[in-house]
Structures are given as structure tokens and as C-alpha cells.
Amino acid sequence: MSHARSQNGMTLPEVLVALLVFSAIAATSVYALRLGVDSRDQLARVDDELKKFQIARTLIKTDFAQVTPRRVRNAFGDVEETVFRGNLESFGARREEDERLLAAFVRDGWVNPDAQSPRSALQYVEYVFRNGALLRRSRTYLDETDNADWNERVLFDDLVDARAGFLLGEQRGELEWTDIWPVGGTVAPPQAVSITIEQEGREPVEKYIWIGALGGGA
């Protein structure tokens, strides 16, 4: 009689309980796996954003640190009145209507290994805000022509705004900033520049760069 009982299978309630436990374990495992995948993807996105930010930060710092007082000719053949322009309207056939020119200048230190390219070590650079993106725009030769070879690089995208400020000097122990450059007939570049970017749902990020100071910036 006892032998017969030992051969009996699981009862229906036992089967249901076992299925319930198995389903709970499976659901928990799937959820944990999903969390792991999501965390991995999120970390990858954050890592990409951090790398992009560091590259852009280094490029901005290097550009402004090597500003040189060199005037250029515009598309009309006229020599620019100043060596540095900030937050002024763009002009010319190549410009987009909705773009804002944050800064334009000539920088030194453009590497040309063994002088292989027929150009100098100087480079004309513009920082432009257009369609929610902060762009770095440069051309091979300093003076602008109708067929100038331009290169654009997106530094930051998905922005609400990007703006620049320019240091006038110090007044009564406080730094004095302006939104445009030049001011008051100034020909020289500002002492420092601030670049601010704003993204949806995030605090604005502001960077300060001393003009002509390779070790400066914050």
C-alpha cells in the first residue's frame, strides 16, 4: 500500500504552485536582464556624451588660447575692421539665415607636418549656433572667396541655446562682460571668452577661456 502511494505524481495544486514559482523566477530574471541591458546602454550613452564633451572642450580651449591678431578679407574683398568678432550677424552667400555667429577669429598653431599642405599655420575659425547645434567652422585659407573650402564640425547638438560673452576688463574688483565684440572701437581681441550651452531639462554649462593662454580656462 505504501509502495503504491510513493508512485503517485504531483497533485494539481502542487503543479499550479510550481508553475507560479517558476513564472515568478522567470519574470524576475527577464526584468533583471532588461535592467542590465538598459543600464549598459545608458552607460554607453553617458560615456559617448562625456567623450564628445571632452573633445569639444579641448578644441574650444585650444582655439581661443591661440587667437592671433590677424585681419582677414571677407567675401567682398574688404579687410575686416577687427581681428575678433563676437555675437555679430553673419553675412555672405554661404551663411544660413537662422545662424548666429558667436565668435570669429584667426588662430595660430594649425599643425602642418613637414609643410605638406600649401598653407600657413594660421587658420580662420568661426563658432556658430544654428538649428540647435554649436558648430565649429573653418576654412583652409585665411581670406574668404566664393569657392572657399569650408569645414564644419558639430561640437554640441540638441541645444536650446548657445551664447558667448566677452571680457572687457575689471572694474572695482569685478569682471565686466559684454555680449558683443568689438565695442568702443576696440581692435584687439577680448581678454577672455565665456561659452554657455543649454540643453532641455539640464542646467546650463558655462566655460571660461582666457585668450592667448594655453594653460588657462575653466
Side-chain angles (χ1 to χ4, degrees):
M1 190 69 174
S2 61
H3 177 72
R5 284 200 188 101
S6 65
Q7 298 299 320
N8 290 339
M10 298 177 62
T11 63
L12 180 59
E14 291 174 333
V15 172
L16 293 176
V17 170
L19 289 175
L20 180 61
V21 172
F22 177 79
S23 299
I25 295 175
T28 302
S29 300
V30 171
Y31 180 70
L33 180 61
R34 182 69 264 173
L35 283 179
V37 173
D38 291 343
S39 298
R40 182 197 62 188
D41 294 342
Q42 185 176 7
L43 287 174
R45 287 194 297 269
V46 171
D47 185 58
D48 289 341
E49 289 183 4
L50 182 59
K51 289 179 180 178
K52 184 177 179 180
F53 178 81
Q54 293 295 348
I55 291 174
R57 178 178 178 273
T58 301
L59 184 56
I60 292 172
K61 180 179 178 179
T62 303
D63 278 342
F64 284 99
Q66 300 193 84
V67 170
T68 188
R70 167 55 157 90
R71 299 186 186 186
V72 298
R73 293 183 181 274
N74 58 33
F76 304 102
D78 302 322
V79 178
E80 295 286 357
E81 296 181 358
T82 180
V83 299
F84 190 103
R85 291 182 296 141
N87 279 341
L88 299 177
E89 295 297 327
S90 303
F91 60 90
R94 66 179 177 79
R95 308 295 205 266
E96 300 289 341
E97 293 182 357
D98 59 346
E99 75 177 24
R100 181 163 17 105
L101 181 64
L102 302 186
F105 53 89
V106 174
R107 58 154 289 181
D108 200 351
W110 188 19
V111 179
N112 187 6
D114 299 326
Q116 293 183 1
S117 299
R119 59 169 176 79
S120 70
L122 301 179
Q123 183 183 42
Y124 177 78
V125 177
E126 294 180 346
Y127 279 82
V128 177
F129 179 65
R130 186 180 72 222
N131 296 331
L134 178 60
L135 308 173
R136 180 190 187 272
R137 187 161 56 199
S138 62
R139 60 182 180 234
T140 303
Y141 302 104
L142 295 179
D143 296 331
E144 183 174 5
T145 60
D146 292 336
N147 59 348
D149 183 18
W150 287 91
N151 179 53
E152 282 192 353
R153 177 172 182 169
V154 177
L155 300 180
F156 300 102
D157 52 11
D158 297 326
L159 299 180
V160 176
D161 192 20
R163 56 187 180 273
F166 311 96
L167 182 61
L168 280 171
E170 186 176 348
Q171 293 288 340
R172 292 184 292 275
E174 293 187 359
L175 297 180
E176 185 178 2
W177 294 85
T178 178
D179 294 332
I180 62 172
W181 197 271
V183 292
T186 304
V187 177
Q191 298 179 37
V193 175
S194 68
I195 301 290
T196 304
I197 59 173
E198 293 186 22
Q199 290 181 302
E200 187 72 34
R202 297 185 180 182
E203 290 294 323
V205 176
E206 188 171 16
K207 176 173 176 56
Y208 298 92
I209 315 102
W210 290 102
I211 298 295
L214 286 172

